[in-house]
Amino acid sequence: MTDETMLEEDGHSGGVVKKFLYVNRRAPYGSIYALESLEVVLIGAAFEQDVSLLFLDDGVFQLKKGQDTAMTDMKNFSPTYRALEMYDVEKLYADRESIEQRGLTEDDLIVPVEVLSRDEIKDLMAQQDVVLSF
Amino acid sequence: MKFSVLVNEGPYQHEASDSAYHFTKAALEKGHEIFRVFFYHDGVNNGTRLATPPQDDRNITQRWSALAEQHNLDLVVCVAAAQRRGIIDADEMKRHGKDANNIAPGFRISGLGQLIEAGIQADRLITFGD
């Protein structure tokens, strides 16, 4: 992420503020989507847009406490979710059904989230200008 | 309408790059504006000029390059995703001490901020590939 940040100019949006929703649907490991989604969120934070993150389906596993990747030689990037607050990314949502189906509770999550029903998620998505799904 | 296009899958293995190309071409032909096409994840593999598909198959990269030349289209490959996957231009080659580069004509390598900007500037951002 450092290379990227070095190359990146300061965010400039010409004063336009849009509602961006990042939908995270995949497990943290097994594919690169979760990690590269997080990279977009961090870079995007410089643009001072109205950002929300939604964790859906296996995406709720991204927030699971106690991730240990030592045996798989993968980078454990889960601490980064705790740093999102410093980037003013504060609106984190998770799908209730997805959490429950996977035998998780809010206490299992590494950061506080607002747990939403499917109906509430529908409304959240409808409010957005840009939806990026990873 | 002003569109931005996000391509998240590599060429050939999935049809997403083809669909993105056909969408972009059709939109331009209908008089719409394409603000930018941004390549992320394995989508960055659309930008290698070294791919050599069989003669009787479409050449996805050359097709993008031709469309870019014809319409002055902005084709941007994400630098972080590209570095991981070995998509490299002359500057990156020098910066990382590599012995070659492979970026195709009409493509440029830049940062993820270009994707955010594409979302801000366009009326609609259309994603291809899941």
Side-chain angles (χ1 to χ4, degrees):
Chain A
M1 284 174 210
T2 10
D3 264 359
E4 171 82 11
T5 316
M6 275 166 50
L7 277 176
E8 204 65 53
E9 292 171 25
D10 284 344
H12 54 91
S13 54
V16 180
V17 178
K18 283 193 173 180
K19 292 174 82 71
F20 277 70
L21 175 67
Y22 297 91
V23 184
N24 297 289
R25 292 179 296 138
R26 291 183 175 85
Y29 312 102
S31 74
I32 201 169
Y33 291 100
L35 174 62
E36 286 192 334
S37 170
L38 202 50
E39 290 186 352
V40 181
V41 172
L42 294 176
I43 296 294
F47 286 74
E48 296 181 341
Q49 300 294 299
D50 184 355
V51 173
S52 302
L53 267 63
L54 170 65
F55 297 86
L56 187 67
D57 301 336
D58 277 351
V60 297
F61 283 128
Q62 295 178 26
L63 299 180
K64 177 82 172 61
K65 278 179 190 164
Q67 295 177 28
D68 181 358
T69 57
M71 302 271 284
T72 55
D73 215 12
M74 304 288 283
K75 180 158 106 183
N76 179 357
F77 56 92
S78 62
T80 312
Y81 295 104
R82 285 210 213 97
L84 287 175
E85 207 180 355
M86 292 189 306
Y87 290 82
D88 294 324
V89 176
E90 288 164 339
K91 290 191 260 184
L92 306 183
Y93 304 97
D95 170 48
R96 176 171 293 118
E97 274 185 43
S98 303
I99 292 173
E100 288 174 356
Q101 282 167 353
R102 286 159 183 80
L104 300 173
T105 68
E106 277 184 74
D107 289 342
D108 294 311
L109 306 183
I110 199 167
V111 283
V113 296
E114 189 177 335
V115 178
L116 301 180
S117 68
R118 293 279 159 103
D119 267 355
E120 289 168 319
I121 287 173
K122 191 178 70 185
D123 294 340
L124 177 72
M125 287 184 169
Q127 293 162 13
Q128 304 302 315
D129 296 307
V130 180
V131 178
L132 289 162
S133 176
F134 293 109
Chain B
M1 193 174 273
K2 196 196 287 187
F3 292 104
S4 287
V5 173
L6 171 61
V7 184
N8 282 338
E9 288 282 357
Y12 306 106
Q13 178 123 3
H14 297 277
E15 204 177 325
S17 304
D18 295 271
S19 304
Y21 169 80
H22 291 305
F23 174 85
T24 303
K25 188 165 177 282
L28 288 166
E29 284 167 1
K30 287 279 182 190
H32 296 291
E33 183 185 340
I34 301 289
F35 177 77
R36 175 170 297 145
V37 182
F38 191 87
F39 297 88
Y40 196 46
H41 300 307
D42 279 356
V44 300
N45 291 313
N46 279 268
T48 172
R49 65 168 189 268
L50 299 184
T52 317
Q55 294 255 329
D56 59 354
D57 197 359
R58 79 265 189 238
N59 187 317
I60 291 178
T61 300
Q62 282 179 10
R63 217 167 48 175
W64 281 121
S65 294
L67 197 64
E69 194 180 7
Q70 194 183 345
H71 294 278
N72 199 21
L73 194 57
D74 192 20
L75 304 178
V76 178
V77 174
C78 167
V79 61
Q83 282 174 357
R84 282 198 179 97
R85 295 164 177 86
I87 305 296
I88 201 163
D89 63 10
D91 285 346
E92 291 286 299
M93 179 181 91
K94 204 177 289 177
R95 202 153 76 90
H96 297 283
K98 303 291 182 183
D99 59 5
N101 71 74
N102 58 353
I103 194 85
F107 287 81
R108 63 187 181 91
I109 294 180
S110 188
L112 274 169
Q114 301 272 309
L115 169 60
I116 307 298
E117 194 198 10
I120 293 169
Q121 296 297 334
D123 300 314
R124 294 279 190 284
L125 172 69
I126 315 284
T127 303
F128 293 87
D130 46 26

